[in-house]
Amino acid sequence: MKKNIVEIICLLYLLLFVYAATNKALDFEKFQVELGQSPLLSAFADWISWTVLIVEFLIVFFLLISKSRMKALYAGFCLMAMFTAYIFIMLNYSSFLPCSCGGILEKMSWQQHLLFNVFFLITGGIALSLQNSFVKDKSNFIKFYNIKLALVAVANSVIVLILFLSSEQIMQRQNPFIRRYPHHPITLKHTVDLKYNSYYFAGSGNSEVYLGNSTVPLYLLSIDFKLQQQKIHVKLDRDSFTFKSIRLAVRPPFFYVIDGKTRVIFRGHISDWKARLQKPKSPYFNIAIPIDSSTIAFRGISNNTNILGFFTTGEKAKTNMAPQLLQKQIDGIFDTDGMLHYSTELKRIVYIYSYRNEYIVADQNGVLDYRGNTIDTVSHAQIKVAYLKNKTERTMGIPTISVNAASSICGHLLFVNSNVPGRYEKRKVWDQASVIDVYDLNKKTYLFSFHIYGIDGKKNRNFLVTPDYIYALIDTKLVMYKINNKLKKEIKNIPE
């Protein structure tokens, strides 16, 4: 009876590893990609994917040979101990749950998979214990052997734990550039044809998103989550005004009309959409975002170099420059180009460079909190500057693809549309979709990534993240995505 039980368990292990190894081999690229997304093994996916496949086939081979069967079963038991520890750690400590299994195993939930592995771990232990009960003078030996099996299971679990801790350290600090893709963090909800591609995001609030239009500067289009649209005509307290580079910004309950080349800021209330000119005149700037009712953060130019600053209107008007924030690498203009945001939750400005893997977090006085890095490895701007007209004008000397194409802030999360493919990412997907990387500004870490797919060959040109929806501008279309539980949980995960 004992021998029959051992043979049946060996047969079960044989079937398990034949099935698992064959599925991995038939679609090895998929297995390697999904292993690369694992928070536990992402940094070691290259060699672990090959190692697991080879070991599983070796276990199958030696299980077929009677003389080596028990050694192969012992190896299978050790491997199952590692797999079980892997699933336990993923269930309890992972930021998301990918899948690196094929066939019917892929249909199991992670909890079911854990029970499945525990079953094989227990049956393997029983078979090894029964096999060694056949030896003479077995009383002390069996007791020792059972302890040894338990220690082996624990040791293999510790190995997996060390891999997990090492992988997380490498992912966050040593930057091997492997993205993680959780299952369906967003779901396509609606698509609206705006007819024109001149719209830009002016802001959001009160369950509405506001779109400005560069060809009709003083008009806004308001769209709520039910897709009800309203055209808004912004009125100024001046009958005529000469603008050069007008931009609208909506931060309920206020809205702003901003032109850095004309050095003017208008502010009004969304209740009547009438704006008054703020005094005194602001400095010259090319990017600006409102911080509160009287203060804007801006990026201007000083000594032929981009510089960040803060301007407050009213009786206590002041300008506070922060030259230490932006760091020159080449020319101080193109190499420091980027996007400026403000987080009302953190009360911090965030500036992300366009041509390098760095972002800046600073307070409202321009005091640097820290410099963070995106997961790509482009730490130095890959640009060449050409000078024209006796070096009085400058332009890009060679075609340059920006590292970070667009970005958005929602609470303590930074969303970045990256232009740099990572390892194990197919070119075909990159041709069809935009990759959005998500970062936790509180923890200073990369979380995961997801795709925004293009429409009719056109890709995302800008996007806006709110607590419930993500809006993307794709050619003339406004695409609305519902944020699912995984991402919503991260957005609402506010430290005390």
Side-chain angles (χ1 to χ4, degrees):
M1 179 63 71
K2 290 180 180 180
K3 288 183 178 179
N4 287 337
I5 291 174
V6 171
E7 288 298 318
I8 290 172
I9 292 173
C10 285
L11 181 60
L12 286 174
Y13 263 74
L14 179 64
L15 292 173
L16 172 66
F17 283 112
V18 165
Y19 182 79
T22 302
N23 270 285
K24 291 181 179 70
L26 289 176
D27 199 351
F28 182 74
E29 184 181 14
K30 178 184 176 183
F31 168 62
Q32 193 175 52
V33 167
E34 291 178 337
L35 202 62
Q37 296 172 17
S38 166
L40 195 154
L41 304 172
S42 51
F44 314 109
D46 253 342
W47 63 268
I48 283 183
S49 56
W50 284 104
T51 300
V52 168
L53 186 64
I54 292 170
V55 168
E56 287 184 346
F57 274 121
L58 285 175
I59 289 173
V60 169
F61 176 77
F62 287 112
L63 278 171
L64 293 170
I65 303 172
S66 58
K67 290 184 178 180
S68 60
R69 185 165 298 158
M70 296 317 297
K71 291 181 179 179
L73 181 61
Y74 195 87
F77 173 81
C78 293
L79 197 58
M80 289 306 297
M82 298 181 78
F83 288 163
T84 304
Y86 169 79
I87 294 175
F88 179 81
I89 292 172
M90 291 291 289
L91 279 170
N92 291 278
Y93 303 105
S94 171
S95 57
F96 71 94
L97 300 173
C99 182
S100 299
C101 305
I104 60 172
L105 299 182
E106 192 172 12
K107 306 300 180 183
M108 292 184 182
S109 69
W110 280 81
Q111 290 79 5
Q112 291 171 336
H113 212 147
L114 179 62
L115 293 176
F116 179 84
N117 280 22
V118 168
F119 168 77
F120 272 91
L121 190 64
I122 292 173
T123 55
I126 291 172
L128 290 169
S129 182
L130 289 176
Q131 176 67 23
N132 286 282
S133 69
F134 302 143
V135 301
K136 296 180 179 180
D137 302 325
K138 59 187 179 184
S139 58
N140 291 330
F141 179 81
I142 294 301
K143 184 177 180 180
F144 169 77
Y145 195 80
N146 289 337
I147 294 174
K148 181 182 176 182
L149 283 177
L151 290 175
V152 166
V154 171
N156 283 281
S157 301
V158 170
I159 291 172
V160 176
L161 179 61
I162 292 172
L163 283 175
F164 170 67
L165 295 175
S166 300
S167 180
E168 283 298 289
Q169 175 66 15
I170 291 173
M171 280 295 296
Q172 302 301 342
R173 306 303 176 200
Q174 298 181 25
N175 211 2
F177 195 18
I178 303 173
R179 286 190 171 91
R180 301 169 178 167
Y181 292 97
H183 294 298
H184 312 301
I186 61 174
T187 303
L188 178 62
K189 192 76 174 174
H190 300 290
T191 300
V192 179
D193 191 352
L194 303 173
K195 306 300 182 183
Y196 304 99
N197 63 2
S198 52
Y199 283 98
Y200 62 89
F201 289 112
S204 64
N206 302 327
S207 301
E208 294 177 300
V209 61
Y210 298 92
L211 300 172
N213 191 328
S214 57
T215 59
V216 192
L218 293 179
Y219 279 84
L220 283 166
L221 179 63
S222 167
I223 302 178
D224 66 15
F225 66 94
K226 294 181 180 179
L227 300 186
Q228 294 179 330
Q229 301 183 26
Q230 179 186 3
K231 291 183 179 180
I232 301 168
H233 181 201
V234 172
K235 298 178 181 179
L236 307 179
D237 64 346
R238 301 289 181 95
D239 292 334
S240 62
F241 206 95
T242 303
F243 290 104
K244 296 180 180 178
S245 180
I246 191 172
R247 202 78 171 176
L248 301 180
V250 182
R251 301 291 185 272
F254 300 103
F255 76 96
Y256 305 81
V257 181
I258 300 171
D259 187 341
K261 291 184 178 180
T262 312
R263 298 174 59 197
V264 294
I265 300 171
F266 289 80
R267 190 196 75 204
H269 202 282
I270 63 173
S271 60
D272 57 12
W273 297 103
K274 296 179 181 179
R276 296 178 179 274
L277 179 64
Q278 303 299 292
K279 296 181 179 180
K281 274 195 170 185
S282 71
Y284 287 104
F285 57 83
N286 42 42
I287 298 178
I289 55 165
I291 290 181
D292 55 38
S293 60
S294 60
T295 304
I296 66 163
F298 67 90
R299 189 191 71 190
I301 296 177
S302 176
N303 297 322
N304 291 320
T305 301
N306 281 328
I307 186 173
L308 295 180
F310 303 83
F311 173 68
T312 302
T313 62
E315 295 179 359
K316 299 181 179 179
K318 63 177 181 178
T319 301
N320 179 26
M321 307 303 290
Q324 76 283 359
L325 293 180
L326 298 184
Q327 294 182 327
K328 176 180 176 179
Q329 288 184 336
I330 300 171
D331 71 320
I333 297 294
F334 292 118
D335 63 337
T336 57
D337 193 15
M339 295 150 278
L340 182 61
H341 302 282
Y342 179 71
S343 168
T344 54
E345 177 189 308
L346 301 179
K347 292 182 171 53
R348 294 291 185 271
I349 64 162
V350 180
Y351 187 87
I352 178 166
Y353 289 104
S354 294
Y355 298 103
R356 62 178 110 158
N357 65 346
E358 185 179 330
Y359 60 88
I360 299 164
V361 179
D363 68 15
Q364 300 177 48
N365 296 313
V367 177
L368 178 69
D369 278 359
Y370 69 91
R371 299 181 188 274
N373 292 103
T374 54
I375 60 172
D376 62 85
T377 55
V378 185
S379 59
H380 194 276
Q382 306 295 310
I383 63 175
K384 184 177 181 181
V385 180
Y387 293 89
L388 308 174
K389 295 183 179 180
N390 296 322
K391 295 188 176 183
T392 59
E393 295 182 7
R394 68 183 89 186
T395 186
M396 288 286 194
I398 57 174
T400 304
I401 299 177
S402 63
V403 173
N404 303 307
S407 56
S408 182
I409 288 278
C410 184
H412 61 287
L413 298 185
L414 170 64
F415 297 76
V416 180
N417 179 188
S418 174
N419 273 337
V420 184
R423 293 169 65 188
Y424 312 124
E425 296 177 9
K426 296 180 180 179
R427 187 73 247 178
K428 184 178 179 181
V429 175
W430 273 81
D431 291 338
Q432 299 173 349
S434 300
V435 171
I436 309 298
D437 299 325
V438 186
Y439 300 87
D440 189 323
L441 297 176
N442 282 323
K443 298 179 180 178
K444 308 176 186 178
T445 56
Y446 162 74
L447 295 177
F448 52 81
S449 304
F450 59 89
H451 291 113
I452 292 179
Y453 279 86
I455 299 175
D456 299 329
K458 302 291 185 180
K459 295 175 68 175
N460 166 68
R461 57 186 174 88
N462 207 352
F463 67 104
L464 177 71
V465 182
T466 69
D468 296 304
Y469 299 97
I470 293 178
Y471 300 88
L473 288 171
I474 303 175
D475 195 28
T476 64
K477 309 287 194 307
L478 174 68
V479 186
M480 179 182 177
Y481 300 88
K482 180 178 174 56
I483 292 177
N484 295 335
N485 290 335
K486 164 62 189 171
L487 185 50
K488 190 171 291 188
K489 182 179 177 182
E490 292 290 350
I491 290 175
K492 294 181 179 179
N493 183 22
I494 304 172
E496 296 180 357

